[in-house]
Amino acid sequence: MSGFFSHHFSASYIRFLASGIFLLTIALFFNYRATQFAATHAGPPVEDIILDHIPVVNMEFMIVEGALLLVAAVLFLIAQKPQRAPFLLKATALFVIIRAFFLVLTHLGPYSINSHLAIDSWVNYLGIGFPAALFFSGHTGMPFLMALIFWNQIRVRIFFLVSSGLMGCAVLLAHVHYSIDVFAAFFITYTIFILSTKIFRPDFELFHR
């Protein structure tokens, strides 16, 4: 660790880190505006072959506190190796920007029967809350993205893969996402990961150094 601090906390590393923070800030702003747009243009709900046949379960603890736990896990992994930060920030920013783009395109209303999660306060101010932010599921996609990024570390990979599956089940049981939001998240997120490794190659190489 001391060798990293002496060699890698250079001007180039600070530049990578600052650009990652800036890009994520811009992404969150776009995501907030996209969520507001989707909320004001939401159409009627539609039927869903899975949601129509499963009971409504209150999964608020997993959806809110569980998501915060995943954020804490990522911060812990960054604290272990700070050179991971620039790529993680930029890959996350690209994920948020692409998801915001999809939010603007799709205007389905929330499913007609849901658990009415009480998360319409600070979570919604970040632009990541419900009911308008539907396609695609960030709760499913983000831990899957982390699993792809940490693929070479089997324990971390398994943790995030399991988390992604659990989050997908949670949002379906709570009826706060359509099934297409959950299943499409895996395919879109994989593409986002590949794009991130190409667009942010120097940061990706630093991540694995």
Side-chain angles (χ1 to χ4, degrees), residues 13-31:
Y13 173 80
I14 298 300
R15 186 172 63 253
F16 285 166
L17 184 63
S19 61
I21 294 172
F22 175 77
L23 186 60
L24 182 58
T25 302
I26 295 298
L28 290 174
F29 171 76
F30 280 120
N31 189 68

Side-chain angles (χ1 to χ4, degrees), residues 44-195:
V46 298
E47 295 181 353
D48 187 288
I49 195 171
I50 293 180
L51 300 186
D52 291 346
H53 295 89
I54 60 175
V56 179
V57 181
N58 191 334
M59 303 297 293
E60 181 175 343
F61 178 81
M62 178 171 289
I63 292 174
V64 180
E65 280 75 11
L68 294 177
L69 177 62
L70 291 177
V71 172
V74 174
L75 293 176
F76 173 76
L77 291 168
I78 292 176
Q80 284 187 319
K81 292 185 177 181
Q83 69 265 33
R84 294 168 169 166
F87 182 71
L88 282 170
L89 288 169
K90 293 176 182 179
T92 300
L94 185 62
F95 179 96
V96 172
I97 289 172
I98 291 177
R99 184 170 180 270
F101 174 72
F102 281 116
L103 289 180
V104 173
L105 294 179
T106 55
H107 303 143
L108 286 180
Y111 191 73
S112 57
I113 302 174
N114 58 55
S115 60
H116 303 291
L117 299 184
I119 58 173
D120 56 350
S121 56
W122 63 272
V123 177
N124 278 334
Y125 289 130
L126 293 177
I128 57 177
F130 301 102
L134 295 176
F135 190 84
F136 51 95
S137 171
H139 281 79
T140 306
M142 187 58 72
F144 185 58
L145 178 63
M146 294 300 112
L148 293 172
I149 293 175
F150 289 95
W151 195 261
N152 293 334
Q153 302 180 50
I154 185 168
R155 293 182 179 179
V156 180
R157 180 211 311 173
I158 292 175
F159 170 76
F160 282 117
L161 284 177
V162 171
S163 299
S164 179
L166 291 176
M167 283 294 185
C169 292
V171 296
L172 288 177
L173 287 171
H175 288 50
V176 294
H177 270 294
Y178 290 101
S179 56
I180 192 174
D181 303 333
V182 173
F183 291 108
F186 295 105
F187 298 94
I188 299 173
T189 301
Y190 180 76
T191 302
I192 292 172
F193 170 71
I194 297 299
L195 288 174

